[in-house]
Amino acid sequence: MRCPFCANPGNRVIDTRLAQGGDEIRRRRECLECERRFTTRERVEAVLPKITKRDERREDYDREKLLAGIERACEKRPVSIDAIERLVDRIERRLQEVGEKEVTSRYVGERAMEELTALDTLAAVRFASVFRDFQRTEDYADFFESLDVKPTDERS
């Protein structure tokens, strides 16, 4: 590790701590040349598969893209950002566990809908309406039927 101030490769670790729920190691270091201190962070590099789109294009997995889609579905819903982050973490873990070099965008979308259904049904419907390109009211009815969710009559 080179010092960011003088570029000297010699330094010593002063303090080591776990950060971000144990997923990252934070180290305080001191340069042996200029004696200035700096912080480094280490984390395990996750190897995630490429995503195969409907038109057969292949893209690198993009956490921010998935996170943005789920956040849009959860807008104005009682779902915290922490819950959304944990949801995306679970999807990423499943992608790693699959062990494939490529997975379809459909697979990722289905996992997102499963997770959202458990978290907030309306958010799942919003996500599904974009992901599955709902065009008719029957599409929504079919989705609710697949969830086995029966609408309740609030007037009774």
Side-chain angles (χ1 to χ4, degrees):
M1 180 64 55
R2 293 191 180 276
C3 172
F5 306 107
C6 70
N8 183 14
N11 62 67
R12 67 184 182 110
V13 175
I14 298 169
D15 182 39
T16 300
R17 295 184 186 188
L18 288 177
Q20 298 210 358
D23 293 341
E24 186 176 87
I25 297 174
R26 178 185 168 272
R27 298 189 197 275
R28 280 299 285 163
R29 298 176 180 266
E30 182 178 46
C31 177
L32 298 175
E33 182 69 28
C34 69
E35 297 181 355
R36 292 181 72 181
R37 293 181 177 190
F38 58 98
T39 301
T40 60
R41 298 180 186 276
E42 299 173 19
R43 71 179 348 200
V44 174
E45 190 172 305
V47 179
L48 292 164
K50 290 222 181 254
I51 307 299
T52 306
K53 307 298 249 176
R54 289 181 186 149
D55 63 0
E56 298 299 317
R57 285 181 302 119
R58 283 157 179 76
E59 293 181 359
D60 289 332
Y61 169 78
D62 185 355
R63 178 186 176 92
E64 296 306 315
K65 191 173 180 180
L66 179 60
L67 194 59
I70 292 172
E71 283 177 345
R72 270 193 305 278
C74 293
E75 250 176 37
K76 298 182 181 179
R77 299 295 305 151
V79 179
S80 72
I81 295 295
D82 285 340
I84 295 170
E85 290 275 350
R86 287 191 304 272
L87 184 152
V88 173
D89 289 343
R90 286 191 300 273
I91 293 170
E92 286 180 348
R93 207 169 309 115
R94 287 177 78 177
L95 288 174
Q96 289 173 336
E97 290 169 357
V98 166
E100 298 291 327
K101 292 183 180 181
E102 293 182 1
V103 296
T104 63
S105 58
R106 180 174 185 81
Y107 177 83
V108 176
E110 294 294 333
R111 298 304 71 78
M113 282 191 296
E114 284 174 15
E115 293 286 342
L116 275 170
T117 300
L119 187 64
D120 185 281
T121 306
L122 184 55
V125 172
R126 288 176 174 174
F127 187 88
S129 71
V130 173
F131 177 68
R132 292 186 177 166
D133 192 28
F134 289 177
Q135 298 292 322
R136 307 166 301 131
T137 56
E138 290 82 12
D139 296 333
Y140 289 94
D142 292 343
F143 183 77
F144 277 110
E145 192 173 298
S146 74
L147 296 176
D148 201 24
V149 173
K150 305 292 183 230
T152 58
D153 186 1
E154 293 180 11
R155 292 174 283 170
S156 34

